[in-house]
Structure formats: structure tokens, C-alpha cells
Amino acid sequence: MADMTDQPLERIPISLLVNGTKRTLEVAPWTTLLDALRDRLALTGTKKGCDHGQCGACTVLVDGRRVNSCLTLAVMKDGAEITTIEGLGKDGTLHPLQQAFIDHDAFQCGYCTPGQICSAAGLLAEGRARDADEIRELMSGNLCRCGAYPNIVAAIEQAMSRS
């Protein structure tokens, strides 16, 4: 029986449009999108929280939809458009959600903030939330260990009123 450690490491070429820039890389089949973004593309704004899809700290937008990048294999998103927290603002100007989070002090430690903001951007694009209760429900997959939820909801309401 062959020893698996003697096998060459398989790499699969993929292409991603990350924050408006085409990026090509070769990844192992088991590489998560989160690890590809952080470790291979040096986009460390997206955080690794629980690594089980339970906290939402790793939320990015894939083709405009909210995705837990820790549960997504990079090879599955070959050809996809990825938006991370680094890609939300344009030309040195903060995204309205980033500004709203500052205006409402919607972060304490800030660890979950990139995932919260990316998830909120997806939420706004979905157009399903009409009030604070719906924002809380539709953001329930993003946890804040500091308990800044009232400020997060206020920030999203502010951005929602301006979009």
C-alpha cells in the first residue's frame, strides 16, 4: 500500500475576481475561500472566528451574496466575483455601512466588524429588511461577542435609509 505522504500535493488552478481585480492562484482542493483570501492573497480583513460557520466573522460577498468563507471551498468559486471588506469602499471613501458603523460606534473589539459589514452589505442588496426587527433576524448569523448589537442595528438602519 502506497504511503499517502509520498504523493505529490495536488494543486488546482482557479481564477477569482477579488475586489475588482482578477487573481489567479493554485490551491489544494481542501483550501477554504477564507484561507485563500487571507493566506494566499493577503486580504486579512476577513476574520477567522469559529471556523465552523457559526459566528459569521468570515462573511464575504460571492457574486453579491453573503457567504461564510470558512465553509466554502475556494475551488467551488472558480470564476466568481468576491468582495471582501477591503473592497467595499471606493477611491479612498468609506462604504456607507463603514461610515455608519463609525457614526454609531457599532464595534467594540472590532473583530466581527468586517463580517458584520459585509453581511449588512448583502442584506441591503437583498432588500428584504424593512425595520430593526427584520435587520436583527436577517443578521442573526453574525455574532458579536462584545454585544454591540443595538449599535450595529442602528448603523444598518442609517445605511438603509441612505440607499
Side-chain angles (χ1 to χ4, degrees), residues 38-120:
R38 287 184 57 83
D39 299 339
R40 301 291 305 281
L41 300 178
L43 294 169
T44 57
T46 305
K47 302 301 183 211
K48 183 179 279 194
C50 66
D51 213 17
H52 297 284
Q54 297 174 343
C55 74
C58 65
T59 304
V60 297
L61 300 173
V62 176
D63 295 328
R65 301 184 68 169
R66 302 184 274 175
V67 168
N68 287 338
S69 61
C70 74
L71 295 180
T72 304
L73 296 176
V75 296
M76 296 170 59
K77 298 304 171 193
D78 184 24
E81 181 177 346
I82 313 295
T83 304
T84 69
I85 191 69
E86 292 94 341
L88 284 179
K90 300 289 182 218
D91 302 323
T93 302
L94 295 176
H95 184 280
L97 278 163
Q98 292 170 314
Q99 185 60 56
F101 268 63
I102 292 170
D103 294 346
H104 291 275
D105 196 22
F107 49 88
Q108 289 181 23
C109 79
Y111 196 81
C112 72
T113 304
Q116 297 274 3
I117 291 174
C118 282
S119 186

Side-chain angles (χ1 to χ4, degrees), residues 13-37:
I14 62 171
S15 177
L16 304 170
L17 185 62
V18 182
N19 299 330
T21 302
K22 184 176 179 181
R23 307 292 299 263
T24 56
L25 59 160
E26 293 186 355
V27 296
W30 54 84
T31 302
T32 66
L33 180 58
L34 173 63
D35 289 338
L37 292 169

Side-chain angles (χ1 to χ4, degrees), residues 3 6 16 49 70 80 100 104 123 131:
D3 183 355
D6 292 337
L16 304 170
C70 74
H104 291 275
L123 173 77
D131 58 32

